Amino acid sequence: MPVEEVCDSVSAEDDANTGLDVPFLLEECVKEKVPWKEVLKRKVGKKCSFSHARVKALLVDSIPIIKWLPRYHFKDWIIGDAMSGLIVAILLVPQSIAYSLLAEQDPIYGLYTSFFASIIYALLGTSRHISVGMFGVLCLLVGQVVDRELTLAGYTSDTNQTIMGNLDNSTGLICDRSCYAIMVGATLTFTAGVYQVLMGLLQVGFVSVFLSDSLLSGFATGASLTILTSQMKYFLGLHLPRVQGWGSLIKTWICLLKNLGHTNICDLITSVICLLVLVPTKELNNRFKAKLKAPIPFELFVVIAATLASHFGKFKETYDSAVAGNIPTGFMPPQLPNWSLIPNIAVDAFSIAIVGFAITVSLSEMFAKKHGYMVDPNQEMYAIGFCNIIPSFFRCFTTSAALTKTLVKESTGCQTQVSGLVTALVLLLVLLVIAPLFYSLQKCVLAVIIVVNLRGALQKFVDIPKMWRANRVDTIIWLVTMSTSALVNTELGLLVGVLVSAFCVLGRTQSAQVHQLGQAGDREIFEDIGFYKGLQTQPGVAVFRYEAPIYYANQTLFKKSLYRSVGLDPLKEKARRRKLEKQRNQKQGGEDLKQEMDVSTDVYLLQHTSLHALVIDCSPVLFLDTAGVNALKEVCKDYKELGVDVFLAQCNISVIDSLRRGGYYDPKKGTKEIKFHTVGDAISYAQSSKSKNGDCDTVV
């Protein structure tokens, strides 16, 4: 049954009997109340209908490729999609192998992860441009959990040892270190994907708005410092266990300094050479990206050259240099997650799910806005969730959107996610034929590739002065989140960042002040007289504005600020009156003390002989809770006892409803409700009332 509304606007003329200047009024819409059971029945019926059209719409919404692929402009788009897909795949090959190192996995699993993620997001994603694959921060989080579980299971070194009792639940065979590591990584990925899909089912895609840009940037920079630190042992060719627990960054550097004497000179020289090649060439790519049709894949060139040098120079045999090792071709049979591990990694999986979703939605919305189309945050939650759930059965680890590869994808002519399918085809070729050729690739080269790709996040330190000048609160959030993520704990940094952001928002409502307003000539413009010159105050009426919602946490501050701005605290005045009354009753000469009390209680009127009304501009007040309504009641009551009326102007619908529900209007006491849609109307009404010592009419 549709809701019937009757809307009308009327103007009220001056009341001839009272002489009051009645303001312009808007008649409220009359809405027919629908029982909640009926509303619930409609919603359930709409969601659970099984018509042919409903099933078709649900299928199209769940698998977006069904909608856009039939409309694909083959002649116009295929070249751009094929080019961008090929270039991203070329970049992904060395990065997939490198990020496997960060996630404590064998190189083949990184290639699996990139392959499956590209296909699944192309089917389920709503963004045309983002590239889904491995992201450094998530690989770090996965690696920390994997290393912790390996230590708990008894794998205490980098060697591929076998521990009795650790079984692969899909085959029943005893797992070596590599097998157990991917089992932990896949189970963690499965659990994170389940969280993301559940959040999509619960329609909580809006949670991404609570992760601000400054928070995510600070978290990424702090995690980048941790990633940089974790790769230093490969730079130096040291065989050191990953440090666990809080303060791991500082502990790792201490451990590195203690073991500098064991540096592998071959790995160190290789790392320096690769850095000297990759850093300048990356800068060249960035500087001439407008002129280049596609970025030059220097990483791939470095990987090929380093692999050839290591193979023919026999670096592993001669210098004991750590290499990638055997990378098998083809695919392994699927395996189920290790259900017994889920209780151990459930909390870690939740933080990974939140970070992965936030990064993906942020990037997808950014590029959608840039290119003029829409993305669905909840569908993105489903897409990234299934990009984790399905590949977890094929020995993959956590994925999300990656900024660097997305920028490359966009700049090389990408039009749709067909480019993701092209990327998957190239990766399939690598998996089936080329992967074993990287056997001799040194791990220090992979570490260099990881560190060079951190430049964007680490360059944020240079922008701190600019950030501070632009917004100090956001800079504080960035610094706190970055410091906590780097120096204390990566996951804790995200939580601390959210809490600091929330407290900053709360702090802004706590620091709001009441400002006295003046009028700009005859215009309906009222602004802070302490900020603008030439504003005029109104005779007999003082106008104030409070620029924050009034609720339990700041209602006391609101009253104090208002009393201070008016120049009189009614509570102190009443306390003084009670004190004088008590003295009159206890001492003789009561007539003289009574006269003294009368003089004291008139202090306010002697100082403000013409003031008889306060107008509070409520336009910035977004909402009131019960404590806020009670605070306004107390303000009205306190000033009523001093002969000053209080008027509320420009209240929004939510505030008016809260005032009504909170009992601000009391017909039994003769108080009446008049809405003031402008401050000027409230001033005119107050000036016409001239009730210095009369009853307080509660009006809005």
Side-chain angles (χ1 to χ4, degrees):
M1 182 177 182
V3 176
E4 297 181 358
E5 298 183 356
V6 181
C7 300
D8 187 24
S9 67
V10 297
S11 62
E13 300 179 353
D14 293 348
D15 191 331
N17 297 327
T18 61
L20 295 179
D21 184 10
V22 180
F24 177 84
L25 300 178
L26 291 174
E27 185 175 348
E28 297 182 17
C29 298
V30 179
K31 296 182 179 180
E32 181 181 350
K33 293 184 178 180
V34 181
W36 66 269
K37 293 182 179 180
E38 183 67 22
V39 175
L40 181 62
K41 182 179 179 181
R42 290 180 192 171
K43 291 184 177 181
V44 172
K46 183 178 179 180
K47 293 290 184 181
C48 298
S49 61
F50 291 99
S51 64
H52 180 269
R54 173 64 179 166
V55 172
K56 182 179 179 181
L58 183 62
L59 183 63
V60 170
D61 291 341
S62 301
I63 309 177
I65 194 174
I66 298 176
K67 182 177 182 180
W68 61 261
L69 189 58
R71 305 174 185 175
Y72 187 79
H73 299 170
F74 188 86
K75 292 182 179 180
D76 298 330
W77 294 350
I78 189 61
I79 295 178
D81 283 339
M83 179 64 70
S84 63
L86 176 62
I87 293 170
V88 169
I90 292 173
L91 295 176
L92 268 177
V93 171
Q95 290 186 13
S96 297
I97 298 173
Y99 282 122
S100 300
L101 188 69
L102 186 60
E104 292 286 334
Q105 305 296 339
D106 289 346
I108 187 64
Y109 301 130
L111 294 170
Y112 286 165
T113 301
S114 297
F115 170 75
F116 284 107
S118 298
I119 294 177
I120 296 172
Y121 188 83
L123 298 175
L124 303 180
T126 57
S127 173
R128 303 173 190 171
H129 294 89
I130 66 170
S131 175
V132 174
M134 285 176 292
F135 180 55
V137 174
L138 290 182
C139 290
L140 171 69
L141 297 176
V142 171
Q144 289 175 341
V145 176
V146 170
D147 189 74
R148 183 191 69 203
E149 294 301 318
L150 286 172
T151 302
L152 292 175
Y155 299 98
T156 55
S157 68
D158 290 337
T159 58
N160 207 24
Q161 66 186 101
T162 300
I163 301 295
M164 296 299 294
N166 291 328
L167 300 180
D168 182 338
N169 60 356
S170 64
T171 64
L173 300 177
I174 297 176
C175 265
D176 59 16
R177 190 179 194 279
S178 172
C179 170
Y180 195 73
I182 191 56
M183 184 188 298
V184 175
T187 303
L188 180 67
T189 300
F190 173 82
T191 309
V194 169
Y195 282 138
Q196 290 166 334
V197 171
L198 287 177
M199 286 189 283
L201 290 173
L202 297 175
Q203 302 287 297
V204 293
F206 66 89
V207 297
S208 62
V209 302
F210 295 104
L211 302 177
S212 65
D213 291 341
S214 57
L215 186 154
L216 290 175
S217 176
F219 175 73
T221 304
S224 297
L225 290 175
T226 305
I227 293 172
L228 172 64
T229 301
S230 69
Q231 298 307 297
M232 289 305 299
K233 66 180 182 180
Y234 298 109
F235 270 60
L236 303 174
L238 299 175
H239 298 280
L240 302 175
R242 177 177 289 188
V243 178
Q244 292 288 339
W246 289 11
S248 59
L249 184 140
I250 297 175
K251 295 176 182 177
T252 301
W253 278 105
I254 293 174
C255 188
L256 288 170
L257 293 174
K258 289 181 178 179
N259 289 274
L260 279 178
H262 300 93
T263 299
N264 187 308
I265 302 300
C266 178
D267 284 348
L268 178 60
I269 293 175
T270 304
S271 299
V272 172
I273 293 174
C274 291
L275 276 175
L276 293 176
V277 173
L278 285 178
V279 172
T281 52
K282 283 280 188 178
E283 291 298 327
L284 286 174
N285 267 337
N286 287 336
R287 180 167 298 183
F288 297 104
K289 62 182 178 181
K291 298 181 180 180
L292 294 172
K293 293 184 178 180
I296 303 173
F298 289 108
E299 289 177 344
L300 184 61
F301 297 157
V302 167
V303 166
I304 294 173
T307 303
L308 293 174
S310 176
H311 175 73
F312 291 106
K314 300 185 181 300
F315 290 169
K316 177 177 174 58
E317 295 79 3
T318 306
Y319 304 105
D320 193 29
S321 182
V323 297
N326 182 47
I327 304 178
T329 57
F331 293 91
M332 300 181 185
Q335 69 172 5
L336 293 173
N338 189 327
W339 309 114
S340 62
L341 284 173
I342 292 180
N344 297 346
I345 51 88
V347 176
D348 304 285
F350 184 76
S351 62
I352 289 173
I354 293 294
V355 174
F357 165 70
I359 296 296
T360 302
V361 171
S362 298
L363 288 180
S364 61
E365 289 182 342
M366 179 176 71
F367 284 93
K369 183 179 180 180
K370 181 177 179 180
H371 292 276
Y373 62 92
M374 299 293 293
V375 294
D376 182 359
N378 285 310
Q379 181 60 30
E380 289 296 293
M381 188 86 85
Y382 288 130
I384 202 64
F386 283 110
C387 280
N388 287 321
I389 291 177
I390 297 175
S392 68
F393 294 100
F394 296 92
R395 296 174 173 83
C396 300
F397 47 92
T398 314
T399 57
S400 74
L403 176 60
T404 304
K405 292 183 281 292
T406 300
L407 290 172
V408 170
K409 193 173 181 179
E410 181 210 24
S411 64
T412 51
C414 172
Q415 298 293 331
T416 67
Q417 284 298 331
V418 168
S419 62
L421 299 177
V422 174
T423 298
L425 286 175
V426 177
L427 290 174
L428 179 62
L429 177 65
V430 174
L431 284 167
L432 295 178
V433 179
I434 303 174
L437 300 179
F438 295 107
Y439 174 89
S440 299
L441 178 61
Q442 292 169 272
K443 288 186 177 181
C444 63
V445 177
L446 301 177
V448 170
I449 293 174
I450 292 173
V451 171
V452 170
N453 281 288
L454 298 176
R455 292 175 311 119
L458 296 178
Q459 285 174 350
K460 289 291 184 180
F461 286 104
V462 180
D463 298 332
I464 291 178
K466 181 180 178 181
M467 293 165 55
W468 181 260
R469 289 191 297 269
N471 192 306
R472 295 185 178 183
V473 173
D474 284 347
T475 308
I476 291 172
I477 294 172
W478 188 92
L479 289 171
V480 171
T481 306
M482 182 276 299
S483 302
T484 308
S485 299
L487 301 177
V488 183
N489 181 272
T490 308
E491 295 91 336
L492 183 64
L494 183 65
L495 177 60
V496 169
V498 172
L499 293 177
V500 171
S501 299
F503 280 118
C504 285
V505 173
L506 184 63
R508 291 180 182 182
T509 66
Q510 296 288 303
S511 61
Q513 298 295 322
V514 173
H515 300 289
Q516 186 173 2
L517 307 183
Q519 187 174 11
D522 296 330
R523 299 175 181 270
E524 184 64 31
I525 298 176
F526 293 85
E527 293 296 340
D528 184 2
I529 61 176
F531 192 82
Y532 295 100
K533 297 180 180 180
L535 300 179
Q536 302 172 355
T537 57
Q538 304 299 318
V541 181
V543 184
F544 296 91
R545 174 186 293 158
Y546 187 65
E547 299 180 341
I550 305 173
Y551 63 111
Y552 71 94
N554 70 349
Q555 51 93 14
T556 301
L557 298 174
F558 159 71
K559 290 188 292 183
K560 289 182 179 179
S561 180
L562 178 63
Y563 296 159
R564 183 171 57 252
S565 299
V566 173
L568 174 73
D569 187 338
L571 300 179
K572 293 181 179 179
E573 180 64 22
K574 287 191 290 185
R576 184 162 53 247
R577 290 175 62 180
R578 286 194 297 268
K579 181 178 179 181
L580 292 174
E581 180 70 23
K582 183 177 180 181
Q583 291 177 354
R584 188 190 67 174
N585 294 333
Q586 292 179 351
K587 297 181 180 179
Q588 295 181 351
E591 189 65 29
D592 294 336
L593 287 173
K594 182 178 184 300
Q595 183 178 359
E596 181 182 352
M597 182 192 71
D598 293 339
V599 172
S600 177
T601 55
D602 288 338
V603 169
Y604 177 77
L605 297 179
L606 288 174
Q607 292 177 346
H608 306 81
T609 55
S610 62
L611 185 63
H612 61 84
L614 295 178
V615 175
I616 301 177
D617 178 9
C618 295
S619 57
V621 180
L622 298 179
F623 64 88
L624 297 171
D625 66 356
T626 303
V629 174
N630 290 335
L632 290 174
K633 285 182 183 179
E634 293 172 11
V635 167
C636 181
K637 177 177 177 294
D638 291 340
Y639 279 112
K640 173 183 176 181
E641 295 176 357
L642 297 176
V644 179
D645 293 335
V646 176
F647 303 93
L648 308 181
Q650 301 192 115
C651 297
N652 62 43
I653 297 173
S654 172
V655 170
I656 292 174
D657 185 62
S658 297
L659 292 172
R660 290 171 179 168
R661 293 174 179 270
Y664 186 80
Y665 314 113
D666 191 352
K668 295 181 180 179
K669 295 183 179 180
T671 55
K672 56 184 178 180
E673 175 186 346
I674 302 178
K675 293 186 286 292
F676 295 115
H677 299 294
T678 67
V679 174
D681 284 350
I683 292 174
S684 299
Y685 184 90
Q687 289 176 334
S688 66
S689 67
K690 299 293 184 182
S691 56
K692 284 187 178 180
N693 299 303
D695 293 338
C696 175
D697 294 331
T698 54
V699 294
V700 297

Short mmCIF file of all heavy atoms in Angstrom, two decimals, residues 68-81 415-416 418:
data_model
loop_
_atom_site.label_atom_id
_atom_site.label_comp_id
_atom_site.label_asym_id
_atom_site.label_seq_id
_atom_site.Cartn_x
_atom_site.Cartn_y
_atom_site.Cartn_z
N TRP A 68 28.06 -7.18 -19.42
CA TRP A 68 28.86 -6.31 -20.28
C TRP A 68 29.54 -7.01 -21.45
O TRP A 68 29.86 -6.38 -22.46
CB TRP A 68 29.91 -5.54 -19.46
CG TRP A 68 30.94 -6.37 -18.72
CD1 TRP A 68 30.92 -6.69 -17.40
CD2 TRP A 68 32.15 -6.93 -19.25
NE1 TRP A 68 32.03 -7.43 -17.07
CE2 TRP A 68 32.81 -7.59 -18.19
CE3 TRP A 68 32.74 -6.95 -20.51
CZ2 TRP A 68 34.02 -8.25 -18.35
CZ3 TRP A 68 33.95 -7.62 -20.68
CH2 TRP A 68 34.58 -8.25 -19.61
N LEU A 69 29.76 -8.33 -21.36
CA LEU A 69 30.46 -9.01 -22.45
C LEU A 69 29.66 -9.00 -23.76
O LEU A 69 30.25 -8.78 -24.84
CB LEU A 69 30.81 -10.44 -22.05
CG LEU A 69 31.74 -11.19 -23.01
CD1 LEU A 69 33.06 -10.43 -23.18
CD2 LEU A 69 31.99 -12.60 -22.50
N PRO A 70 28.33 -9.22 -23.76
CA PRO A 70 27.59 -9.14 -25.03
C PRO A 70 27.64 -7.76 -25.68
O PRO A 70 27.40 -7.63 -26.88
CB PRO A 70 26.16 -9.52 -24.63
CG PRO A 70 26.31 -10.33 -23.39
CD PRO A 70 27.47 -9.73 -22.67
N ARG A 71 27.92 -6.73 -24.89
CA ARG A 71 28.00 -5.37 -25.42
C ARG A 71 29.44 -4.96 -25.74
O ARG A 71 29.71 -3.78 -25.97
CB ARG A 71 27.42 -4.38 -24.40
CG ARG A 71 26.00 -4.72 -23.95
CD ARG A 71 25.56 -3.79 -22.84
NE ARG A 71 24.25 -4.16 -22.32
CZ ARG A 71 23.66 -3.55 -21.27
NH1 ARG A 71 24.29 -2.56 -20.66
NH2 ARG A 71 22.47 -3.94 -20.87
N TYR A 72 30.33 -5.90 -25.75
CA TYR A 72 31.75 -5.60 -25.95
C TYR A 72 32.00 -5.10 -27.37
O TYR A 72 31.59 -5.72 -28.35
CB TYR A 72 32.58 -6.86 -25.68
CG TYR A 72 34.07 -6.63 -25.69
CD1 TYR A 72 34.70 -6.08 -24.59
CD2 TYR A 72 34.84 -6.96 -26.80
CE1 TYR A 72 36.08 -5.87 -24.58
CE2 TYR A 72 36.21 -6.75 -26.81
CZ TYR A 72 36.82 -6.21 -25.70
OH TYR A 72 38.18 -5.98 -25.70
N HIS A 73 32.66 -3.96 -27.50
CA HIS A 73 32.99 -3.37 -28.80
C HIS A 73 34.33 -3.96 -29.26
O HIS A 73 35.39 -3.40 -28.98
CB HIS A 73 33.07 -1.86 -28.70
CG HIS A 73 31.79 -1.22 -28.28
ND1 HIS A 73 31.68 0.11 -27.93
CD2 HIS A 73 30.53 -1.74 -28.16
CE1 HIS A 73 30.44 0.38 -27.61
NE2 HIS A 73 29.73 -0.73 -27.74
N PHE A 74 34.26 -5.06 -29.96
CA PHE A 74 35.46 -5.83 -30.26
C PHE A 74 36.48 -5.02 -31.06
O PHE A 74 37.67 -4.97 -30.70
CB PHE A 74 35.08 -7.10 -31.03
CG PHE A 74 36.22 -8.06 -31.22
CD1 PHE A 74 36.54 -8.99 -30.25
CD2 PHE A 74 36.98 -8.02 -32.39
CE1 PHE A 74 37.59 -9.86 -30.41
CE2 PHE A 74 38.04 -8.89 -32.57
CZ PHE A 74 38.34 -9.81 -31.58
N LYS A 75 36.05 -4.37 -32.11
CA LYS A 75 36.98 -3.65 -32.98
C LYS A 75 37.64 -2.47 -32.25
O LYS A 75 38.81 -2.16 -32.51
CB LYS A 75 36.25 -3.15 -34.22
CG LYS A 75 35.80 -4.26 -35.16
CD LYS A 75 35.13 -3.69 -36.40
CE LYS A 75 34.70 -4.79 -37.36
NZ LYS A 75 34.04 -4.24 -38.57
N ASP A 76 36.88 -1.82 -31.38
CA ASP A 76 37.40 -0.62 -30.71
C ASP A 76 38.23 -0.93 -29.48
O ASP A 76 39.14 -0.17 -29.13
CB ASP A 76 36.23 0.30 -30.32
CG ASP A 76 35.45 0.78 -31.52
OD1 ASP A 76 36.07 0.92 -32.60
OD2 ASP A 76 34.23 1.02 -31.39
N TRP A 77 37.93 -2.04 -28.80
CA TRP A 77 38.51 -2.27 -27.48
C TRP A 77 39.55 -3.39 -27.43
O TRP A 77 40.37 -3.41 -26.51
CB TRP A 77 37.41 -2.59 -26.47
CG TRP A 77 36.49 -1.44 -26.20
CD1 TRP A 77 36.66 -0.14 -26.59
CD2 TRP A 77 35.25 -1.48 -25.47
NE1 TRP A 77 35.61 0.64 -26.16
CE2 TRP A 77 34.72 -0.17 -25.46
CE3 TRP A 77 34.53 -2.48 -24.84
CZ2 TRP A 77 33.52 0.16 -24.84
CZ3 TRP A 77 33.33 -2.17 -24.21
CH2 TRP A 77 32.83 -0.86 -24.21
N ILE A 78 39.52 -4.32 -28.36
CA ILE A 78 40.33 -5.53 -28.20
C ILE A 78 41.83 -5.22 -28.21
O ILE A 78 42.61 -5.85 -27.47
CB ILE A 78 39.99 -6.56 -29.31
CG1 ILE A 78 40.67 -7.89 -29.01
CG2 ILE A 78 40.37 -6.03 -30.67
CD1 ILE A 78 40.27 -8.53 -27.71
N ILE A 79 42.26 -4.25 -29.02
CA ILE A 79 43.70 -3.95 -29.08
C ILE A 79 44.19 -3.40 -27.74
O ILE A 79 45.22 -3.83 -27.20
CB ILE A 79 44.00 -2.96 -30.22
CG1 ILE A 79 43.68 -3.61 -31.57
CG2 ILE A 79 45.46 -2.51 -30.17
CD1 ILE A 79 43.89 -2.68 -32.76
N GLY A 80 43.44 -2.45 -27.17
CA GLY A 80 43.82 -1.88 -25.88
C GLY A 80 43.81 -2.91 -24.78
O GLY A 80 44.73 -2.97 -23.94
N ASP A 81 42.77 -3.76 -24.75
CA ASP A 81 42.69 -4.79 -23.71
C ASP A 81 43.81 -5.82 -23.86
O ASP A 81 44.41 -6.26 -22.87
CB ASP A 81 41.33 -5.49 -23.78
CG ASP A 81 40.21 -4.66 -23.17
OD1 ASP A 81 40.53 -3.76 -22.37
OD2 ASP A 81 39.04 -4.89 -23.49
N GLN A 415 40.23 -1.25 -21.46
CA GLN A 415 38.84 -0.81 -21.55
C GLN A 415 37.90 -1.65 -20.68
O GLN A 415 36.94 -1.14 -20.13
CB GLN A 415 38.36 -0.87 -23.00
CG GLN A 415 39.11 0.03 -23.95
CD GLN A 415 38.88 1.50 -23.68
OE1 GLN A 415 37.83 1.88 -23.18
NE2 GLN A 415 39.86 2.34 -24.00
N THR A 416 38.19 -2.94 -20.57
CA THR A 416 37.35 -3.85 -19.78
C THR A 416 38.23 -4.91 -19.13
O THR A 416 39.45 -4.93 -19.31
CB THR A 416 36.30 -4.55 -20.67
OG1 THR A 416 36.98 -5.44 -21.57
CG2 THR A 416 35.48 -3.55 -21.47
N VAL A 418 38.45 -7.85 -20.01
CA VAL A 418 39.02 -8.78 -20.99
C VAL A 418 40.54 -8.77 -20.88
O VAL A 418 41.21 -9.79 -21.10
CB VAL A 418 38.56 -8.40 -22.41
CG1 VAL A 418 39.36 -9.16 -23.47
CG2 VAL A 418 37.08 -8.71 -22.58
#
